[in-house]
């Protein structure tokens, strides 16, 4: 497969990948969204200045490009619109191109299955998801894949729970996971 990059030529005549980013407000706090010419590549929870700067440094290192703030770029503007519609209860599925380059192997396989096979308002157990990708004993590895998810909310790792009814862990914090599951009708809204 040929990987195409969008951007400009560098001084050596090679394509230079472009990474754009924006911070969007949401019901679970500010989200950093980053995209390449391939699609949305990263969503980061709790995007305070410090968290944002660390995330941009990681993207710079991993993708070899200087991230540029560009909230009006068509892909980011559309991602922000869809996220706002999701939190308003008007959207259940995201229709965005995704760049999976920050994740590979088993983790990518698990996240692809999650994205395509666990719809809004449903949950799946870690072990069940492992079985869906042909690794029935790999529940713990599925948990690691959820923790490595570079596209949370869009690739809904909040929908993966413990088989005994526990909520499980979550990179964005358990309160964030509860809010997302409540939004989707899986959990009751907190009383306070």
């Amino acid at each position: 497969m040929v990987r195409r990059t969008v951007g400009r030529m560098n001084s050596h005549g090679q394509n230079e990948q472009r990474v754009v980013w924006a911070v969007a407000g949401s019901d679970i706090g500010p989200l950093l969204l980053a995209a390449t010419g391939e699609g949305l590549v990263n969503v980061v929870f709790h995007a305070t200045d410090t968290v944002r700067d660390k995330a941009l440094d990681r993207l710079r290192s991993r993708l070899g490009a200087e991230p540029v703030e560009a909230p009006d770029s068509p892909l980011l503007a559309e991602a922000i619109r869809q996220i706002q519609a999701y939190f308003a209860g008007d959207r259940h599925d995201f229709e965005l191109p995704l760049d999976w380059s920050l994740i590979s192997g088993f983790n990518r396989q698990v996240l692809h299955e999650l994205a395509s096979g666990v719809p809004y308002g449903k949950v799946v157990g870690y072990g069940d998801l492992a079985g869906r990708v042909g690794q029935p004993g790999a529940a713990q590895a599925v948990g690691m894949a959820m923790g490595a998810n570079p596209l949370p909310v869009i690739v809904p790792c909040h929908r993966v729970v413990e088989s005994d009814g526990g909520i499980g862990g979550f990179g964005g914090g358990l309160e964030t996971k509860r809010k997302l599951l409540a939004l989707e009708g899986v959990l009751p809204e907190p009383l306070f």
Side-chain angles (χ1 to χ4, degrees), residues 66-84:
E66 183 65 37
V68 176
E69 187 172 14
D72 294 331
S73 80
L75 178 57
L76 291 178
E78 179 60 17
I80 291 167
R81 188 187 69 72
Q82 289 188 28
I83 286 171
Q84 289 171 340

Side-chain angles (χ1 to χ4, degrees), residues 55-101:
L56 294 174
D57 284 344
R58 276 193 312 272
L59 286 169
R60 183 179 302 108
S61 172
R62 297 274 314 270
L63 298 175
E66 183 65 37
V68 176
E69 187 172 14
D72 294 331
S73 80
L75 178 57
L76 291 178
E78 179 60 17
I80 291 167
R81 188 187 69 72
Q82 289 188 28
I83 286 171
Q84 289 171 340
Y86 169 80
F87 282 106
D90 297 331
R91 174 174 280 280
H92 293 174
D93 299 304
F94 294 98
E95 297 172 8
L96 298 165
L98 301 179
D99 178 340
W100 294 91
S101 64

Side-chain angles (χ1 to χ4, degrees), residues 30-53:
L31 299 171
L32 171 81
L33 307 174
T36 67
E38 298 287 322
L40 195 64
V41 71
N42 202 200
V43 176
V44 179
F45 291 116
H46 315 300
T48 60
D49 290 347
T50 303
V51 169
R52 180 200 66 215
D53 291 347

